[in-house]
Amino acid sequence: DLKKEVDVLIKSGVKIEKVIVSPMTRTLQTAWGTFGGHNIPFQACHLITEYSDAPCNYGTRKSQIEPQWPQVDFGVVPEIWWNEDESDVTITLRAKRFREWLFQAA
């Protein structure tokens, strides 16, 4: 189980500085289930979501999801953060923006 593996790594001295997670409910659940319980900050970032090719891959408004996850920083997530008309070009641009954001945040 992944949580047990993470627990062993942290107990062995591995330092996890931050968990960056998509604001999709299922990814928040997985990240918290894996890393929750440790003193690790969580940062939601809308730039690392899935390809929005179907309604099940669309997100939830920030104002609706943020109160459900008070332990996660949603500071960089816009109110409506998913793109219902994604293409290969927009995905490539989103990945580039994420890399730029990640290195600025480091």
Side-chain angles (χ1 to χ4, degrees), residues 18-22 41-45 48 71-77 101:
K18 182 183 284 189
V19 174
I20 300 172
V21 61
S22 161
F42 281 69
Q43 170 77 58
C45 181
I48 54 171
Q71 67 274 40
V72 178
D73 178 358
F74 284 84
V76 300
V77 178
W101 174 82

Side-chain angles (χ1 to χ4, degrees), residues 5-101:
E5 291 179 35
V6 168
D7 291 345
V8 168
L9 288 171
I10 290 172
K11 286 177 185 174
S12 74
V14 172
K15 173 110 170 77
I16 299 173
E17 295 178 26
K18 182 183 284 189
V19 174
I20 300 172
V21 61
S22 161
M24 303 272 310
T25 299
R26 62 181 170 259
T27 60
L28 289 162
Q29 292 167 337
T30 299
W32 186 252
T34 302
F35 297 97
H38 298 285
N39 192 20
I40 303 169
F42 281 69
Q43 170 77 58
C45 181
H46 62 291
L47 300 172
I48 54 171
T49 61
E50 311 181 11
Y51 179 61
S52 297
D53 62 344
C56 66
N57 292 329
Y58 299 165
T60 303
R61 290 177 178 268
K62 176 182 174 178
S63 59
Q64 293 174 309
I65 193 106
E66 188 173 27
Q68 298 171 27
W69 296 93
Q71 67 274 40
V72 178
D73 178 358
F74 284 84
V76 300
V77 178
E79 176 65 13
I80 298 175
W81 48 267
W82 62 95
N83 180 350
E84 295 178 12
D85 298 313
E86 276 199 313
S87 66
D88 290 342
V89 171
T90 60
I91 291 171
T92 300
L93 291 172
R94 182 162 51 94
K96 180 179 186 248
R97 287 179 47 218
F98 173 69
R99 286 189 304 273
E100 291 168 351
W101 174 82

